[in-house]
Amino acid sequence: MTVKIGVIGTGAIGQDHTRRINQVLAGAKVVAVNDVNRDNAQACVTAFAPEATIFDDPIALINDPGVDAVLVCSWGQTHEEYVLATIAAGKPCFCEKPLATTAQGAENIVKAEVAAGKRLVQVGFMRRYDPGYLALRHAVQNVTGAPLMVHAAHRNQRVGTNYTTPMAIHDTLIHEIDVLRWLLDDDYVSAQVFFPRKSPRAHEKLRDPQVVVLETKKGVVIDVEVFVNCHYGYDIQCEIVGEDGIAKLPEPMSVQTRSNAMLSNPILTDWKDRFIDSYDYELADFLKAAAKGTAAGPSSWDGYVAAVTADACVSAQEQEGVPVRIALPERPALYA
Ligand code: NAI
Ligand code: ISE
């Protein structure tokens, strides 16, 4: 069976996922696309899906009988509406992170999915599929002993002037919020934010870098540096300190060279390259489940927990240094 996919939002990642489905993965085809910017939809069709139809109305795309499953790849604040409409249509939905930009929005999705009675949503937390993070999780479970501390960093080369201080949480830190909770098999109880001296490369309204300190139920203390104008590359670091040892996220594979009296390794600059395999694996998992009319992988509940935690981090940004409590309701049985 070929799963017929509709893609909403055909910017950077929407186009990359369309390429992936039509040119890399088996079992599915992008048959419909929508974007508020028709030029982007056209560019996507021309480059990666010449047979796809461009829909002007995203809700019509979702409800079209020729579409079996939907990818939501538009801007974060639009996700809730499209995911809810896809659940209402009873179709599987892959939603790029964040699931919603507020905890309330994510809760609305959880409630709709619970009412539908089956998993229909996968959130694009692709790091759970990354071979490096999977190896790190294996080490945490088998080598380091119980975790005590985590030191992590999320560094982007640069961001545009439309990138705001809260986006450093909802757009960027959200990956660590999810993957660290999954690595540690734990939930957060508090968040605190500190702002070091501002980088001169950060635009006028952006506070960058920042350090987010999270504490978990089991008492693990996590520090994450978020630095989105680090200039030198796209760099993701993670070190877990356990009772018996330390485990570190492997660096991406690269060729080491010796030349001109220098020993060097290149550093990647683009998130698309850093997690290229994980994007393939997460979508393959989605397509496999979608063929059976359901969803797997990171769930709406994971998206909701990330949104609650992100809200607490944004509140902690507003009161630098003050710990903000994080409380979660009971997890519905659907996500056990
Ligand atoms: P982008 O700006 O390149 O593309 C977004 C597209 O959505 C644009 O073409 C825009 O016109 C369209 N759009 C905006 N509002 C819309 C609406 N209401 N209906 C239909 N289309 C609409 O942004 P990018 O980088 O592709 O990000 C899109 C989403 O993917 C964001 O939620 C972002 O956080 C997420 N993302 C995830 C990554 C990951 O590593 N998992 C990496 C990059 C982005
Ligand atoms: C972007 O949306 C992503 O998801 C990237 O993985 C992240 O590194 C970047 O900071 C976000 O803006």
Side-chain angles (χ1 to χ4, degrees):
M1 173 198 173
T2 299
V3 186
K4 295 188 264 356
I5 303 289
V7 178
I8 301 177
T10 48
I13 203 146
Q15 291 198 24
D16 206 39
H17 284 335
T18 301
R19 174 194 61 77
R20 191 164 274 120
I21 290 170
N22 282 2
Q23 299 182 357
V24 181
L25 303 174
K29 187 174 175 184
V30 174
V31 297
V33 300
N34 159 268
D35 197 294
V36 275
N37 179 343
R38 210 173 199 279
D39 290 347
N40 285 359
Q42 187 58 60
C44 180
V45 166
T46 305
F48 306 114
E51 292 167 38
T53 305
I54 299 179
F55 279 68
D56 289 324
D57 177 0
I59 304 299
L61 175 150
I62 290 168
N63 290 317
D64 192 274
V67 168
D68 300 322
V70 176
L71 258 59
V72 176
C73 302
S74 45
W75 294 326
Q77 63 273 29
T78 68
H79 292 181
E80 180 190 351
E81 180 192 353
Y82 298 147
V83 176
L84 286 174
T86 310
I87 294 173
K91 298 181 183 180
C93 179
F94 175 91
C95 179
E96 258 312 333
K97 43 64 53 174
L99 177 62
T101 46
T102 61
Q104 184 58 58
E107 190 181 340
N108 296 342
I109 292 171
V110 166
K111 283 189 174 150
E113 198 182 32
V114 168
K118 66 170 176 173
R119 285 277 317 269
L120 285 169
V121 180
Q122 176 176 337
V123 182
F125 287 134
M126 77 296 176
R127 289 192 191 179
R128 293 186 184 205
Y129 294 86
D130 175 63
Y133 273 107
L134 284 161
L136 186 58
R137 191 171 191 236
H138 184 267
V140 169
Q141 290 170 350
N142 297 283
V143 182
T144 62
L148 302 167
M149 292 173 278
V150 179
H151 309 296
H154 188 148
R155 303 190 186 112
N156 290 76
Q157 260 192 314
R158 65 185 67 85
V159 291
T161 48
N162 58 349
Y163 186 100
T164 61
T165 304
M167 277 172 76
I169 304 294
H170 284 292
D171 223 52
T172 299
L173 179 79
I174 199 94
H175 285 296
E176 273 75 19
I177 290 176
D178 180 70
V179 84
L180 296 178
R181 175 177 162 260
W182 168 83
L183 271 174
L184 301 172
D185 190 21
D186 207 347
D187 270 316
Y188 305 113
V189 293
S190 74
Q192 222 173 335
V193 175
F194 298 90
F195 291 100
R197 186 172 67 78
K198 177 175 159 162
S199 158
R201 290 198 172 91
H203 67 75
E204 198 193 344
K205 293 191 185 134
L206 178 64
R207 300 185 76 180
D208 182 53
Q210 54 191 285
V211 178
V212 180
V213 178
L214 294 161
E215 195 178 343
T216 73
K217 266 191 190 155
K218 293 179 191 164
V220 179
V221 173
I222 300 166
D223 58 271
V224 188
E225 169 202 315
V226 181
F227 187 12
V228 294
N229 289 283
C230 83
H231 189 64
Y232 71 86
Y234 182 68
D235 194 9
I236 304 299
Q237 298 289 327
C238 184
E239 183 179 88
I240 314 247
V241 182
E243 290 174 7
D244 304 326
I246 290 174
K248 201 169 176 344
L249 182 68
E251 294 290 341
M253 193 181 72
S254 68
V255 174
Q256 193 178 65
T257 55
R258 287 170 157 81
S259 170
N260 294 325
M262 298 250 294
L263 181 63
S264 345
N265 279 91
I267 297 178
L268 293 171
T269 54
D270 190 340
W271 48 262
K272 283 198 214 76
D273 301 324
R274 173 64 180 84
F275 289 108
I276 191 154
D277 297 335
S278 346
Y279 294 118
D280 289 352
Y281 300 146
E282 70 169 354
L283 273 190
D285 207 23
F286 175 70
L287 299 178
K288 197 167 127 205
K292 297 183 202 139
T294 183
S299 66
S300 294
W301 178 255
D302 297 317
Y304 168 70
V305 173
V308 170
T309 308
D311 278 1
C313 291
V314 171
S315 168
Q317 284 181 327
E318 288 156 6
Q319 20 182 346
E320 182 175 355
V322 176
V324 174
R325 304 305 300 170
I326 300 171
L328 291 169
E330 195 146 325
R331 176 164 51 181
L334 182 65
Y335 308 105

Short mmCIF file of all heavy atoms in Angstrom, two decimals, residues 92-144:
data_model
loop_
_atom_site.label_atom_id
_atom_site.label_comp_id
_atom_site.label_asym_id
_atom_site.label_seq_id
_atom_site.Cartn_x
_atom_site.Cartn_y
_atom_site.Cartn_z
N PRO A 92 -3.78 9.89 10.56
CA PRO A 92 -2.50 10.06 11.25
C PRO A 92 -1.84 11.38 10.88
O PRO A 92 -1.94 11.83 9.73
CB PRO A 92 -1.66 8.88 10.75
CG PRO A 92 -2.66 7.88 10.24
CD PRO A 92 -3.81 8.69 9.71
N CYS A 93 -1.17 11.99 11.87
CA CYS A 93 -0.58 13.32 11.69
C CYS A 93 0.85 13.33 12.23
O CYS A 93 1.06 13.00 13.40
CB CYS A 93 -1.43 14.34 12.46
SG CYS A 93 -0.82 16.02 12.35
N PHE A 94 1.80 13.71 11.39
CA PHE A 94 3.15 13.95 11.87
C PHE A 94 3.28 15.45 12.03
O PHE A 94 3.14 16.20 11.05
CB PHE A 94 4.19 13.44 10.86
CG PHE A 94 5.60 13.78 11.24
CD1 PHE A 94 6.36 12.91 12.01
CD2 PHE A 94 6.18 14.98 10.84
CE1 PHE A 94 7.65 13.24 12.39
CE2 PHE A 94 7.47 15.31 11.21
CZ PHE A 94 8.21 14.44 11.98
N CYS A 95 3.51 15.93 13.26
CA CYS A 95 3.61 17.36 13.50
C CYS A 95 5.03 17.73 13.88
O CYS A 95 5.58 17.18 14.85
CB CYS A 95 2.65 17.76 14.63
SG CYS A 95 2.75 19.52 15.00
N GLU A 96 5.63 18.64 13.13
CA GLU A 96 6.96 19.12 13.50
C GLU A 96 6.90 19.73 14.90
O GLU A 96 5.86 20.18 15.36
CB GLU A 96 7.46 20.14 12.47
CG GLU A 96 8.46 19.58 11.49
CD GLU A 96 9.58 18.77 12.15
OE1 GLU A 96 9.92 19.02 13.32
OE2 GLU A 96 10.11 17.86 11.50
N LYS A 97 8.03 19.76 15.57
CA LYS A 97 8.07 20.43 16.87
C LYS A 97 7.95 21.92 16.66
O LYS A 97 8.35 22.40 15.60
CB LYS A 97 9.33 20.07 17.69
CG LYS A 97 10.66 20.02 16.96
CD LYS A 97 11.26 21.25 16.33
CE LYS A 97 11.47 22.49 17.09
NZ LYS A 97 12.21 23.53 16.32
N PRO A 98 7.38 22.68 17.61
CA PRO A 98 6.70 22.19 18.80
C PRO A 98 5.28 21.73 18.45
O PRO A 98 4.70 22.22 17.48
CB PRO A 98 6.65 23.43 19.70
CG PRO A 98 6.57 24.58 18.73
CD PRO A 98 7.38 24.16 17.52
N LEU A 99 4.74 20.81 19.26
CA LEU A 99 3.37 20.36 19.01
C LEU A 99 2.43 21.57 19.04
O LEU A 99 1.52 21.68 18.24
CB LEU A 99 2.97 19.33 20.08
CG LEU A 99 1.55 18.81 20.01
CD1 LEU A 99 1.27 18.08 18.70
CD2 LEU A 99 1.25 17.89 21.20
N ALA A 100 2.65 22.44 20.02
CA ALA A 100 1.90 23.70 20.12
C ALA A 100 2.81 24.67 20.84
O ALA A 100 3.72 24.27 21.56
CB ALA A 100 0.60 23.48 20.89
N THR A 101 2.54 25.96 20.68
CA THR A 101 3.43 26.94 21.33
C THR A 101 2.98 27.29 22.74
O THR A 101 3.63 28.07 23.41
CB THR A 101 3.53 28.22 20.47
OG1 THR A 101 2.21 28.59 20.08
CG2 THR A 101 4.37 28.01 19.25
N THR A 102 1.86 26.69 23.19
CA THR A 102 1.46 26.86 24.59
C THR A 102 1.05 25.50 25.15
O THR A 102 0.64 24.61 24.40
CB THR A 102 0.22 27.79 24.73
OG1 THR A 102 -0.87 27.18 24.02
CG2 THR A 102 0.48 29.17 24.18
N ALA A 103 1.14 25.38 26.47
CA ALA A 103 0.74 24.13 27.12
C ALA A 103 -0.74 23.88 26.88
O ALA A 103 -1.17 22.74 26.66
CB ALA A 103 1.05 24.20 28.61
N GLN A 104 -1.54 24.97 26.90
CA GLN A 104 -2.99 24.81 26.68
C GLN A 104 -3.25 24.23 25.29
O GLN A 104 -4.08 23.33 25.12
CB GLN A 104 -3.69 26.18 26.85
CG GLN A 104 -5.20 26.10 26.74
CD GLN A 104 -5.82 25.16 27.78
OE1 GLN A 104 -5.64 25.36 28.97
NE2 GLN A 104 -6.52 24.12 27.32
N GLY A 105 -2.55 24.73 24.30
CA GLY A 105 -2.70 24.23 22.93
C GLY A 105 -2.37 22.74 22.84
O GLY A 105 -3.09 21.96 22.22
N ALA A 106 -1.28 22.34 23.49
CA ALA A 106 -0.89 20.93 23.46
C ALA A 106 -1.90 20.07 24.22
O ALA A 106 -2.23 18.95 23.81
CB ALA A 106 0.51 20.78 24.05
N GLU A 107 -2.43 20.61 25.31
CA GLU A 107 -3.43 19.87 26.09
C GLU A 107 -4.69 19.63 25.24
O GLU A 107 -5.30 18.56 25.30
CB GLU A 107 -3.78 20.66 27.37
CG GLU A 107 -4.62 19.87 28.34
CD GLU A 107 -4.97 20.67 29.60
OE1 GLU A 107 -4.28 21.66 29.90
OE2 GLU A 107 -5.96 20.29 30.25
N ASN A 108 -5.07 20.65 24.46
CA ASN A 108 -6.24 20.49 23.58
C ASN A 108 -6.04 19.32 22.63
O ASN A 108 -6.97 18.54 22.35
CB ASN A 108 -6.48 21.77 22.77
CG ASN A 108 -6.85 22.95 23.67
OD1 ASN A 108 -7.24 22.76 24.82
ND2 ASN A 108 -6.68 24.16 23.16
N ILE A 109 -4.81 19.16 22.14
CA ILE A 109 -4.51 18.06 21.21
C ILE A 109 -4.57 16.72 21.94
O ILE A 109 -5.15 15.75 21.45
CB ILE A 109 -3.13 18.30 20.54
CG1 ILE A 109 -3.22 19.51 19.61
CG2 ILE A 109 -2.67 17.06 19.79
CD1 ILE A 109 -1.90 19.99 19.05
N VAL A 110 -3.97 16.67 23.14
CA VAL A 110 -4.01 15.42 23.93
C VAL A 110 -5.47 15.00 24.16
O VAL A 110 -5.85 13.84 23.94
CB VAL A 110 -3.27 15.60 25.28
CG1 VAL A 110 -3.58 14.45 26.24
CG2 VAL A 110 -1.77 15.69 25.04
N LYS A 111 -6.29 15.97 24.56
CA LYS A 111 -7.70 15.65 24.86
C LYS A 111 -8.41 15.13 23.61
O LYS A 111 -9.18 14.17 23.67
CB LYS A 111 -8.43 16.89 25.39
CG LYS A 111 -8.06 17.17 26.84
CD LYS A 111 -8.93 18.25 27.43
CE LYS A 111 -8.65 18.39 28.91
NZ LYS A 111 -8.86 19.76 29.40
N ALA A 112 -8.15 15.77 22.46
CA ALA A 112 -8.81 15.34 21.21
C ALA A 112 -8.36 13.93 20.83
O ALA A 112 -9.17 13.10 20.39
CB ALA A 112 -8.49 16.33 20.09
N GLU A 113 -7.08 13.64 21.03
CA GLU A 113 -6.57 12.31 20.66
C GLU A 113 -7.12 11.24 21.61
O GLU A 113 -7.51 10.15 21.19
CB GLU A 113 -5.04 12.32 20.66
CG GLU A 113 -4.44 11.15 19.90
CD GLU A 113 -2.92 11.15 19.95
OE1 GLU A 113 -2.32 11.58 20.95
OE2 GLU A 113 -2.31 10.69 18.97
N VAL A 114 -7.18 11.58 22.90
CA VAL A 114 -7.75 10.63 23.88
C VAL A 114 -9.21 10.36 23.53
O VAL A 114 -9.67 9.21 23.53
CB VAL A 114 -7.59 11.17 25.32
CG1 VAL A 114 -8.42 10.36 26.31
CG2 VAL A 114 -6.11 11.15 25.73
N ALA A 115 -9.94 11.41 23.15
CA ALA A 115 -11.35 11.24 22.77
C ALA A 115 -11.47 10.38 21.51
O ALA A 115 -12.41 9.59 21.37
CB ALA A 115 -12.01 12.59 22.55
N ALA A 116 -10.48 10.49 20.60
CA ALA A 116 -10.51 9.66 19.38
C ALA A 116 -10.23 8.20 19.72
O ALA A 116 -10.53 7.30 18.94
CB ALA A 116 -9.49 10.18 18.37
N GLY A 117 -9.58 7.95 20.87
CA GLY A 117 -9.39 6.58 21.37
C GLY A 117 -8.21 5.84 20.79
O GLY A 117 -8.00 4.67 21.07
N LYS A 118 -7.38 6.52 19.98
CA LYS A 118 -6.17 5.85 19.50
C LYS A 118 -5.09 6.87 19.14
O LYS A 118 -5.41 8.04 18.89
CB LYS A 118 -6.47 4.96 18.30
CG LYS A 118 -6.92 5.68 17.04
CD LYS A 118 -6.95 4.68 15.86
CE LYS A 118 -7.47 5.34 14.61
NZ LYS A 118 -7.39 4.52 13.43
N ARG A 119 -3.84 6.42 19.13
CA ARG A 119 -2.73 7.29 18.76
C ARG A 119 -2.86 7.70 17.30
O ARG A 119 -2.96 6.85 16.42
CB ARG A 119 -1.39 6.56 18.95
CG ARG A 119 -0.87 6.38 20.36
CD ARG A 119 -0.12 7.59 20.90
NE ARG A 119 0.79 8.23 19.97
CZ ARG A 119 2.08 7.93 19.85
NH1 ARG A 119 2.61 6.99 20.59
NH2 ARG A 119 2.84 8.59 18.99
N LEU A 120 -2.87 9.01 17.06
CA LEU A 120 -2.91 9.52 15.68
C LEU A 120 -1.78 10.51 15.41
O LEU A 120 -1.56 10.90 14.27
CB LEU A 120 -4.25 10.21 15.41
CG LEU A 120 -5.46 9.30 15.20
CD1 LEU A 120 -6.77 10.09 15.21
CD2 LEU A 120 -5.34 8.51 13.89
N VAL A 121 -1.08 10.92 16.48
CA VAL A 121 -0.10 12.01 16.33
C VAL A 121 1.31 11.55 16.69
O VAL A 121 1.52 10.90 17.72
CB VAL A 121 -0.49 13.21 17.24
CG1 VAL A 121 0.51 14.35 17.08
CG2 VAL A 121 -1.89 13.69 16.91
N GLN A 122 2.27 11.90 15.83
CA GLN A 122 3.69 11.75 16.16
C GLN A 122 4.32 13.14 16.11
O GLN A 122 4.12 13.87 15.14
CB GLN A 122 4.40 10.82 15.17
CG GLN A 122 5.91 10.72 15.44
CD GLN A 122 6.64 9.73 14.53
OE1 GLN A 122 6.03 8.81 13.99
NE2 GLN A 122 7.94 9.92 14.35
N VAL A 123 5.08 13.49 17.14
CA VAL A 123 5.75 14.80 17.17
C VAL A 123 7.18 14.64 16.64
O VAL A 123 7.84 13.64 16.91
CB VAL A 123 5.76 15.38 18.60
CG1 VAL A 123 6.41 16.77 18.61
CG2 VAL A 123 4.35 15.46 19.16
N GLY A 124 7.65 15.66 15.89
CA GLY A 124 8.96 15.56 15.24
C GLY A 124 10.16 15.73 16.16
O GLY A 124 11.06 16.52 15.86
N PHE A 125 10.18 14.97 17.26
CA PHE A 125 11.36 14.96 18.13
C PHE A 125 12.33 13.90 17.59
O PHE A 125 12.44 12.80 18.13
CB PHE A 125 10.95 14.65 19.57
CG PHE A 125 10.24 15.79 20.26
CD1 PHE A 125 9.09 15.57 21.00
CD2 PHE A 125 10.74 17.09 20.21
CE1 PHE A 125 8.44 16.60 21.65
CE2 PHE A 125 10.09 18.13 20.86
CZ PHE A 125 8.95 17.88 21.58
N MET A 126 13.05 14.28 16.52
CA MET A 126 13.82 13.28 15.77
C MET A 126 15.05 12.78 16.51
O MET A 126 15.61 11.74 16.17
CB MET A 126 14.22 13.85 14.41
CG MET A 126 15.37 14.83 14.40
SD MET A 126 14.97 16.33 15.33
CE MET A 126 16.50 17.21 15.25
N ARG A 127 15.48 13.53 17.56
CA ARG A 127 16.71 13.09 18.22
C ARG A 127 16.56 11.72 18.86
O ARG A 127 17.55 11.01 19.06
CB ARG A 127 17.14 14.11 19.28
CG ARG A 127 17.65 15.38 18.67
CD ARG A 127 18.32 16.20 19.73
NE ARG A 127 18.61 17.54 19.28
CZ ARG A 127 19.17 18.46 20.04
NH1 ARG A 127 19.47 18.17 21.30
NH2 ARG A 127 19.41 19.66 19.57
N ARG A 128 15.32 11.33 19.19
CA ARG A 128 15.11 9.99 19.76
C ARG A 128 15.49 8.89 18.78
O ARG A 128 15.63 7.74 19.17
CB ARG A 128 13.64 9.80 20.15
CG ARG A 128 13.18 10.68 21.29
CD ARG A 128 11.77 10.29 21.65
NE ARG A 128 11.20 11.15 22.68
CZ ARG A 128 10.22 10.76 23.48
NH1 ARG A 128 9.71 9.55 23.38
NH2 ARG A 128 9.75 11.58 24.39
N TYR A 129 15.61 9.25 17.50
CA TYR A 129 15.97 8.27 16.46
C TYR A 129 17.44 8.37 16.07
O TYR A 129 17.91 7.62 15.23
CB TYR A 129 15.11 8.48 15.21
CG TYR A 129 13.65 8.20 15.43
CD1 TYR A 129 12.78 9.18 15.92
CD2 TYR A 129 13.12 6.94 15.16
CE1 TYR A 129 11.44 8.92 16.12
CE2 TYR A 129 11.78 6.67 15.36
CZ TYR A 129 10.94 7.67 15.84
OH TYR A 129 9.61 7.40 16.04
N ASP A 130 18.16 9.34 16.66
CA ASP A 130 19.56 9.56 16.28
C ASP A 130 20.44 8.43 16.84
O ASP A 130 20.36 8.13 18.04
CB ASP A 130 20.02 10.91 16.86
CG ASP A 130 21.48 11.15 16.62
OD1 ASP A 130 21.88 11.24 15.44
OD2 ASP A 130 22.24 11.22 17.60
N PRO A 131 21.27 7.79 15.99
CA PRO A 131 22.10 6.69 16.48
C PRO A 131 22.98 7.11 17.67
O PRO A 131 23.23 6.31 18.58
CB PRO A 131 22.95 6.31 15.26
CG PRO A 131 22.12 6.75 14.08
CD PRO A 131 21.38 7.98 14.54
N GLY A 132 23.47 8.35 17.69
CA GLY A 132 24.30 8.83 18.80
C GLY A 132 23.53 8.88 20.10
O GLY A 132 23.99 8.42 21.15
N TYR A 133 22.32 9.45 20.05
CA TYR A 133 21.50 9.52 21.28
C TYR A 133 21.05 8.12 21.72
O TYR A 133 20.96 7.85 22.92
CB TYR A 133 20.28 10.42 21.06
CG TYR A 133 20.56 11.88 21.34
CD1 TYR A 133 20.66 12.80 20.32
CD2 TYR A 133 20.73 12.34 22.65
CE1 TYR A 133 20.90 14.14 20.56
CE2 TYR A 133 20.99 13.68 22.91
CZ TYR A 133 21.07 14.57 21.86
OH TYR A 133 21.32 15.90 22.12
N LEU A 134 20.79 7.23 20.75
CA LEU A 134 20.39 5.86 21.12
C LEU A 134 21.56 5.16 21.84
O LEU A 134 21.36 4.47 22.84
CB LEU A 134 19.97 5.07 19.88
CG LEU A 134 18.56 5.44 19.37
CD1 LEU A 134 18.37 5.02 17.91
CD2 LEU A 134 17.49 4.80 20.25
N ALA A 135 22.79 5.40 21.35
CA ALA A 135 23.97 4.80 21.99
C ALA A 135 24.16 5.41 23.39
O ALA A 135 24.51 4.70 24.35
CB ALA A 135 25.20 5.02 21.13
N LEU A 136 23.90 6.70 23.50
CA LEU A 136 24.04 7.38 24.80
C LEU A 136 23.03 6.79 25.79
O LEU A 136 23.35 6.53 26.95
CB LEU A 136 23.80 8.88 24.59
CG LEU A 136 24.01 9.80 25.77
CD1 LEU A 136 25.43 9.69 26.31
CD2 LEU A 136 23.76 11.27 25.35
N ARG A 137 21.81 6.55 25.32
CA ARG A 137 20.77 6.00 26.20
C ARG A 137 21.16 4.59 26.66
O ARG A 137 20.98 4.23 27.83
CB ARG A 137 19.45 5.95 25.42
CG ARG A 137 18.25 5.64 26.29
CD ARG A 137 17.01 5.85 25.47
NE ARG A 137 15.82 5.83 26.27
CZ ARG A 137 14.80 5.01 26.05
NH1 ARG A 137 14.86 4.12 25.08
NH2 ARG A 137 13.72 5.07 26.79
N HIS A 138 21.75 3.82 25.74
CA HIS A 138 22.20 2.47 26.09
C HIS A 138 23.27 2.57 27.18
O HIS A 138 23.27 1.80 28.15
CB HIS A 138 22.74 1.77 24.84
CG HIS A 138 23.12 0.35 25.10
ND1 HIS A 138 24.41 -0.02 25.45
CD2 HIS A 138 22.39 -0.79 25.13
CE1 HIS A 138 24.45 -1.32 25.65
NE2 HIS A 138 23.24 -1.81 25.46
N ALA A 139 24.18 3.53 27.05
CA ALA A 139 25.25 3.69 28.05
C ALA A 139 24.67 4.10 29.40
O ALA A 139 25.12 3.64 30.46
CB ALA A 139 26.26 4.73 27.56
N VAL A 140 23.67 4.97 29.38
CA VAL A 140 23.05 5.43 30.64
C VAL A 140 22.37 4.24 31.33
O VAL A 140 22.41 4.09 32.56
CB VAL A 140 22.04 6.56 30.37
CG1 VAL A 140 21.21 6.87 31.59
CG2 VAL A 140 22.77 7.81 29.91
N GLN A 141 21.77 3.37 30.53
CA GLN A 141 21.04 2.23 31.11
C GLN A 141 21.97 1.09 31.52
O GLN A 141 21.61 0.26 32.36
CB GLN A 141 20.00 1.72 30.11
CG GLN A 141 18.85 2.70 29.96
CD GLN A 141 17.91 2.37 28.81
OE1 GLN A 141 18.20 1.49 28.00
NE2 GLN A 141 16.80 3.07 28.73
N ASN A 142 23.19 1.04 30.94
CA ASN A 142 24.04 -0.14 31.17
C ASN A 142 25.43 0.15 31.73
O ASN A 142 26.11 -0.77 32.16
CB ASN A 142 24.21 -0.92 29.86
CG ASN A 142 22.89 -1.45 29.35
OD1 ASN A 142 22.38 -2.43 29.86
ND2 ASN A 142 22.31 -0.78 28.37
N VAL A 143 25.90 1.39 31.67
CA VAL A 143 27.30 1.65 32.02
C VAL A 143 27.47 2.70 33.12
O VAL A 143 28.21 2.49 34.09
CB VAL A 143 28.10 2.12 30.76
CG1 VAL A 143 29.57 2.34 31.12
CG2 VAL A 143 27.97 1.12 29.61
N THR A 144 26.82 3.83 33.02
CA THR A 144 27.15 4.98 33.89
C THR A 144 26.60 4.86 35.31
O THR A 144 27.01 5.61 36.19
CB THR A 144 26.58 6.30 33.32
OG1 THR A 144 25.15 6.20 33.29
CG2 THR A 144 27.12 6.59 31.94
#
